[in-house]
Amino acid sequence: MKTNSDTKTEITFDDFKAEVINDYKLAVTSRECSLLGRREVLTGKAKFGIFGDGKEVPQIAWAKAFENGDFRSGYYRDQTFMMAIGELTIQQFFAGLYANTDLKDEPMSAGRQMGGHFATHSLDENGNWKDLTAQKNSSADISPTAGQMPRLLGLAQASKIYRNVNGIDTTNFSNKGNEVAWGTIGNASTSEGLFFETINAAGVLQVPMIISVWDDEYGISVHAKHQTTKENISEILKGFQRDKKNNGYEIFRVNGWNYPELIDTYQRAAQVSRKEHVPVLIHVNELTQPQGHSTSGSHERYKNQERLAWEAEYDCNVQMRNWVISNNIATNEELTAIERDIKKAVREGKKAAWSAFIKPIINESSEAITLLKSLAQSSSNGVFINKLINDLAAIDEPLRRDILSATRKALRYVVTENTPQKVTLQNWINNYIKTIQPKYSSHLHSSSEHNALHQNEVKPSYDSDAQDVDGRIVLRENFDAIFNKFPEALIFGEDAGYIGDVNQGLEGLQEKYGELRVSDTGIREATILGQGIGMAMRGLRPIAEIQYLDYIMYALQIMSDDLATVQYRTKGRQKAPLIVRTRGHRLEGIWHSGSQMGGILNLIRGVHVLVPRSMTKAAGFYNTLLESDEPALVVECLNGYRLKEKLPNNIGEFKTPIGIVETIREGEDITLVSYGSTLRLVEQAAKELLEVGIDAEIIDVQSLLPFDLNHDIVKSIAKTNRVMVIDEDVKGGASAYILDQILNEQSAFQYLDSQPKTLAAQPHRPAYGTDGDYFSKPSVEDIFEAIYDVMHELSPIDFPKLR
């Protein structure tokens, strides 16, 4: 069931009546799903519920204005809209509630997100783009409030790029930039900074973006008087209203229970935004939330009787029902019959969803019980195994956790036995985990042929008389080649456009490629990331520049919650191959030291983290990434732009491999592992160590995520029998991560003759000035002495104590 989006065609009164009745059926269906969904949570079949009750009618009006090619970036109340565009059935609604891991049954996320989080499939099963212009699109939701706003900006900006930049192959992605990006947000979440940042950025960029604010006066239990100045978001945003002299927004206000006015409002909003590329705010007032915020509690705890009575009267479904009757479209009896049939259909859909979810698990449980019974009969500890069998069999509707818990515990009772039944159970458990684990853990990265790890290395080549140039020149020439080769590539950030970035890596490129492809932005890191995510979701190849690594903290939530999880939370059916360009390391001062790698590594799994030591290496990473379909963070060395490098003759073609380390100095006594700017200090220390008879091998990590896929570091340690990780992050940060990889993933402990060491920065931000840097981060002397101390412990006679 879905609504008719062709509201422009003249229709007969009978057709009009049929459309209205169909819309009412949608509203009632969605409401019944919410009501029954809550009961499923309270009875324990589902873990948590957060529903769209009270927002049904405005979402139906919205769906009528939503066209093929458009994109939604919403939040967890939009179930009616998804039903109205034909992308959510009753059974799929409940499959999401039960966390069904089969993508065919639960196409939103295969059970990886709680119910209420919606997505459509932008990719086929092989990771290739579908024709996004031939379908209605929803970018995958995230729970953090207002977190959907930055991505919305990018989804809208893509239309502007497609409409105004020549040379891009728009097949599958755009019809002359006519697509609108639609966002939804609750009134309370408009208090978030991400909302205001997005509002401002969209007004500046003038993109086709329409935001619906669902206003029910509360944020969980907190009233609007504590949320919003004047208790009215459209009132305080009036200054954004465009006029004859200034660009800005169109702002509409409409009551959420008024069916005909809602349809008219959304049609007008869509027309102006789609045609003129103007951002629009629709403030949908006087909405209700009949079941409260979620299944965690009742709204009767914080709403007084007067408010509850008003909500009962002005419930949008109730008001639509009254309107239908008063306009002689249907009688009370006819609507009652419709409602009765819908209740039955929703119950049947719920039963079908539960059956599809539970039957495979019951079969798996039966299989496990059969194996356990066989094991019990062959074991002297059969009585204990039988208890596990009885406990598992007593669970009418088991979970996979119950199955694995019972079978794994059973092995403890036969640990000293050697029977075919034990071997059979061991094999079954191993195969079961191998089969089931991917249902919950697959697709952190791309599974397509375009995966970044499938890109082969192409080394830079040089003419015999290759110039020594500033590192920034290598970058600039490479970006020039990129923009010439990939019309869909673009870069944007603070100072990235007119002056060619603060380090001149983009010098002259805005003049050559235009302001839309090489552009300046405001100081707003979160929405810079959001621009990139949204445009990447629509087939463009954006490079979002964050001026310094320190400033990525403003965008880290978006990188972590949204960008890093796109592939995972859609089980490979959406992607956002955004490249985030920044620079860090070894500048001076608290806010420009750029080495908070430990936090980044822990928070953005799903994004490649690349730390090139030179601009040639960085350029190679950009070339690799643009041939792949995965997101990455590239951290250039801030103090390397003016250092001399040879200019390759295969600019734009050479590729730095991802996940591969490089040995930049061979040695026999100790393996030194580092990356980025610190490597230059390590190299200097290694030269000085040679003077006292210590021959160090130096390995450049190059890629932190993923890390040393070929396990080359352990091969070095097998030769030197010693290892030290040197890093400018704080102790326990990136150096601890690297050492964990070396010891636990590569099993290097078996080759060590000395304690593995890390050398990191002091546990505070670096102090300002050259001396501040010297006393805050590892210096050449620190590195020399730390390595010397390792050798002193090995041979005090050959290496007497220094101090």
Side-chain angles (χ1 to χ4, degrees):
M1 182 189 300
K2 62 181 181 179
T3 192
N4 176 19
S5 60
D6 187 8
T7 58
K8 300 173 185 176
T9 304
E10 291 188 10
I11 59 176
T12 66
F13 184 68
D14 287 341
D15 290 336
F16 170 70
K17 287 176 61 175
E19 183 179 339
V20 171
I21 294 300
N22 185 63
D23 288 348
Y24 183 69
K25 288 179 179 178
L26 269 170
V28 174
T29 299
S30 181
R31 178 65 60 88
E32 287 300 319
C33 285
S34 296
L35 295 173
L36 192 51
R38 181 180 178 87
R39 287 198 287 272
E40 290 298 277
V41 173
L42 297 181
T43 58
K45 280 189 173 180
K47 296 290 289 185
F48 182 78
I50 192 160
F51 306 113
D53 46 303
K55 314 318 190 269
E56 293 90 350
V57 176
Q59 290 184 21
I60 290 169
W62 164 28
K64 291 178 182 295
F66 196 94
E67 297 184 2
N68 284 351
D70 286 0
F71 261 86
R72 166 189 170 273
S73 182
Y75 84 137
Y76 40 71
R77 305 278 184 208
D78 293 345
Q79 72 197 44
T80 309
F81 169 79
M82 294 299 291
M83 291 177 174
I85 64 170
E87 293 293 337
L88 181 68
T89 66
I90 295 170
Q91 189 167 333
Q92 289 168 348
F93 171 89
F94 285 101
L97 200 61
Y98 302 141
N100 190 317
T101 57
D102 190 326
L103 198 62
K104 293 179 181 177
D105 292 325
E106 204 285 271
M108 302 302 145
S109 74
R112 296 181 176 189
Q113 298 214 85
M114 70 176 75
H117 293 69
F118 305 113
T120 53
H121 293 182
S122 299
L123 310 176
D124 63 20
E125 60 274 12
N126 297 316
N128 298 313
W129 289 108
K130 298 172 68 177
D131 185 353
L132 305 185
T133 67
Q135 64 182 42
K136 294 177 170 64
N137 303 286
S138 173
S139 59
D141 294 338
I142 58 175
S143 287
T145 56
Q148 71 274 24
M149 291 291 104
R151 179 200 331 138
L152 172 66
L153 178 66
L155 292 169
Q157 189 180 4
S159 290
K160 183 173 183 176
I161 298 298
Y162 282 127
R163 179 174 286 185
N164 295 289
V165 175
N166 296 324
I168 303 176
D169 181 2
T170 62
T171 306
N172 295 337
F173 302 116
S174 182
N175 176 21
K176 300 178 181 179
N178 291 330
E179 303 79 22
V180 172
W182 302 78
T184 63
I185 190 168
N187 58 292
S189 295
T190 63
S191 302
E192 294 277 10
L194 293 175
F195 171 79
F196 282 97
E197 189 171 319
T198 303
I199 287 286
N200 181 60
V204 171
L205 291 171
Q206 288 292 286
V207 292
M209 180 183 91
I210 302 177
I211 296 179
S212 296
V213 179
W214 308 137
D215 192 344
D216 56 29
E217 289 196 18
Y218 285 85
I220 307 183
S221 66
V222 180
H223 190 267
K225 65 184 178 183
H226 302 296
Q227 305 276 2
T228 309
T229 302
K230 299 183 178 181
E231 301 180 30
N232 189 322
I233 189 62
S234 59
E235 178 68 19
I236 64 174
L237 291 178
K238 283 197 304 187
F240 284 85
Q241 175 67 53
R242 65 176 182 163
D243 55 38
K244 292 181 179 179
K245 294 182 179 179
N246 299 289
N247 288 329
Y249 276 72
E250 281 296 331
I251 299 177
F252 296 90
R253 300 170 184 85
V254 62
N255 289 330
W257 46 263
N258 194 320
Y259 173 71
E261 285 192 11
L262 283 162
I263 292 173
D264 178 65
T265 298
Y266 274 93
Q267 291 298 319
R268 289 189 290 129
Q271 184 177 16
V272 67
S273 189
R274 197 179 305 280
K275 180 180 179 181
E276 301 180 43
H277 274 198
V278 174
V280 176
L281 177 79
I282 304 176
H283 186 185
V284 184
N285 290 291
E286 297 194 6
L287 286 171
T288 67
Q289 202 153 279
Q291 297 187 114
H293 175 74
S294 70
T295 53
S296 293
S298 170
H299 63 149
E300 293 170 346
R301 293 182 299 164
Y302 52 85
K303 292 177 182 174
N304 60 34
Q305 291 303 310
E306 181 181 3
R307 173 68 190 189
L308 291 171
W310 181 89
E311 290 197 4
E313 180 180 358
Y314 281 90
D315 180 291
C316 63
N317 285 17
V318 171
Q319 288 289 317
M320 183 178 180
R321 193 182 197 278
N322 294 339
W323 181 85
V324 168
I325 294 172
S326 65
N327 284 275
N328 298 316
I329 294 171
T331 65
N332 177 64
E333 291 73 20
E334 289 171 332
L335 295 182
T336 299
I338 288 171
E339 292 155 1
R340 183 171 57 248
D341 290 343
I342 288 173
K343 285 178 183 289
K344 181 180 178 181
V346 171
R347 286 196 300 269
E348 290 173 350
K350 174 195 75 78
K351 289 178 182 177
W354 180 251
S355 177
F357 168 74
I358 201 64
K359 276 188 176 180
I361 304 177
I362 290 175
N363 292 337
E364 293 160 15
S365 180
S366 297
E367 190 177 344
I369 288 171
T370 299
L371 293 174
L372 289 172
K373 286 180 178 178
S374 179
L375 183 71
Q377 291 173 359
S378 67
S379 174
S380 58
N381 286 321
V383 63
F384 300 106
I385 299 171
N386 279 325
K387 183 180 185 308
L388 293 173
I389 294 170
N390 293 336
D391 289 345
L392 181 57
I395 305 173
D396 292 331
E397 296 171 335
L399 298 175
R400 291 184 168 118
R401 176 194 63 186
D402 302 318
I403 298 168
L404 265 181
S405 178
T407 52
R408 294 168 79 176
K409 284 179 179 177
L411 289 179
R412 302 174 192 176
Y413 295 116
V414 295
V415 66
T416 60
E417 299 176 10
N418 187 16
T419 65
Q421 291 83 356
K422 172 186 174 181
V423 173
T424 299
L425 183 62
Q426 288 174 326
N427 290 338
W428 185 89
I429 291 172
N430 290 337
N431 288 332
Y432 187 74
I433 293 173
K434 184 178 180 180
T435 301
I436 299 302
Q437 188 69 52
K439 293 179 182 294
Y440 305 95
S441 301
S442 69
H443 292 88
L444 180 61
H445 292 282
S446 170
S447 297
S448 80
E449 62 183 10
H450 305 295
N451 181 295
L453 304 186
H454 296 165
Q455 305 304 314
N456 295 322
E457 179 180 15
V458 177
K459 293 183 180 295
S461 58
Y462 300 91
D463 295 330
S464 58
D465 58 348
Q467 284 181 275
D468 285 321
V469 298
D470 289 348
R472 73 173 186 88
I473 300 298
V474 178
L475 275 178
R476 185 193 67 189
E477 296 303 302
N478 198 74
F479 279 127
D480 189 5
I482 283 172
F483 296 137
N484 185 59
K485 182 179 181 179
F486 298 99
E488 67 273 21
L490 60 156
I491 192 166
F492 47 92
E494 298 156 16
D495 300 301
Y498 184 73
I499 69 169
D501 88 41
V502 291
N503 297 102
Q504 302 286 274
L506 299 168
E507 181 186 23
L509 297 185
Q510 184 183 83
E511 184 177 358
K512 184 172 183 179
Y513 293 101
E515 293 186 12
L516 288 177
R517 294 191 65 195
V518 182
S519 55
D520 290 308
T521 69
I523 300 176
R524 46 174 182 79
E525 287 78 10
T527 45
I528 290 173
L529 255 293
Q531 286 176 249
I533 294 169
M535 286 193 281
M537 281 183 157
R538 292 191 57 192
L540 295 170
R541 294 310 312 264
I543 302 171
E545 179 170 318
I546 303 297
Q547 194 163 88
Y548 298 109
L549 183 63
D550 306 77
Y551 303 164
I552 217 161
M553 302 295 281
Y554 287 97
L556 198 52
Q557 184 260 319
I558 298 301
M559 289 187 70
S560 178
D561 291 331
D562 198 352
L563 179 63
T565 66
V566 169
Q567 287 263 2
Y568 174 77
R569 72 180 191 266
T570 62
K571 203 174 184 180
R573 294 309 173 94
Q574 288 187 7
K575 62 183 176 183
L578 167 64
I579 300 171
V580 183
R581 179 196 183 205
T582 189
R583 50 194 65 84
H585 315 303
R586 306 306 302 208
L587 199 62
E588 298 171 351
I590 292 176
W591 312 119
H592 296 83
S593 52
S595 299
Q596 56 272 53
M597 299 305 301
I600 291 170
L601 288 170
N602 282 303
L603 289 169
I604 65 170
R605 299 297 171 98
V607 175
H608 296 315
V609 177
L610 311 176
V611 283
R613 69 178 184 272
S614 70
M615 300 308 152
T616 302
K617 289 289 184 179
F621 276 136
Y622 293 123
N623 296 337
T624 298
L625 291 167
L626 284 165
E627 298 287 350
S628 79
D629 64 354
E630 296 191 273
L633 170 66
V634 181
V635 185
E636 299 167 9
C637 293
L638 185 51
N639 56 5
Y641 294 103
R642 304 294 171 179
L643 297 180
K644 299 299 182 183
E645 299 182 30
K646 295 287 186 185
L647 183 64
N649 60 18
N650 58 341
I651 285 286
E653 301 299 327
F654 60 87
K655 295 191 288 187
T656 308
I658 291 174
I660 307 300
V661 303
E662 182 179 358
T663 300
I664 59 177
R665 186 188 188 284
E666 294 190 356
E668 300 293 330
D669 295 327
I670 188 170
T671 299
L672 307 180
V673 181
S674 190
Y675 62 88
S677 295
T678 303
L679 274 167
R680 286 192 282 276
L681 282 69
V682 173
E683 288 182 280
Q684 180 60 37
K687 291 179 183 178
E688 297 176 11
L689 285 163
L690 272 177
E691 298 172 4
V692 295
I694 299 173
D695 187 14
E697 184 149 301
I698 303 174
I699 295 180
D700 178 8
V701 168
Q702 298 196 108
S703 170
L704 287 166
L705 290 176
F707 182 84
D708 190 12
L709 297 174
N710 294 336
H711 289 194
D712 289 324
I713 293 176
V714 73
K715 298 170 189 174
S716 172
I717 295 171
K719 176 178 67 173
T720 66
N721 307 118
R722 279 164 286 280
V723 65
M724 180 178 293
V725 179
I726 301 118
D727 176 49
E728 59 181 30
D729 196 5
V730 297
K731 296 176 182 178
S735 59
Y737 160 79
I738 292 170
L739 189 59
D740 173 75
Q741 291 284 312
I742 293 170
L743 296 180
N744 292 319
E745 295 296 322
Q746 301 187 14
S747 301
F749 56 86
Q750 61 187 311
Y751 301 112
L752 290 170
D753 293 337
S754 299
Q755 177 185 346
K757 297 278 190 176
T758 62
L759 178 62
Q762 295 295 323
H764 55 71
R765 299 290 183 94
Y768 175 64
T770 301
D771 283 345
D773 177 74
Y774 186 86
F775 285 96
S776 299
K777 292 187 175 184
S779 64
V780 172
E781 288 72 34
D782 291 332
I783 297 167
F784 180 100
E785 292 178 4
I787 297 165
Y788 186 91
D789 285 347
V790 171
M791 303 306 293
H792 166 72
E793 292 175 7
L794 174 69
S795 179
I797 295 175
D798 293 331
F799 303 101
K801 190 173 182 64
L802 277 175
R803 61 183 175 89

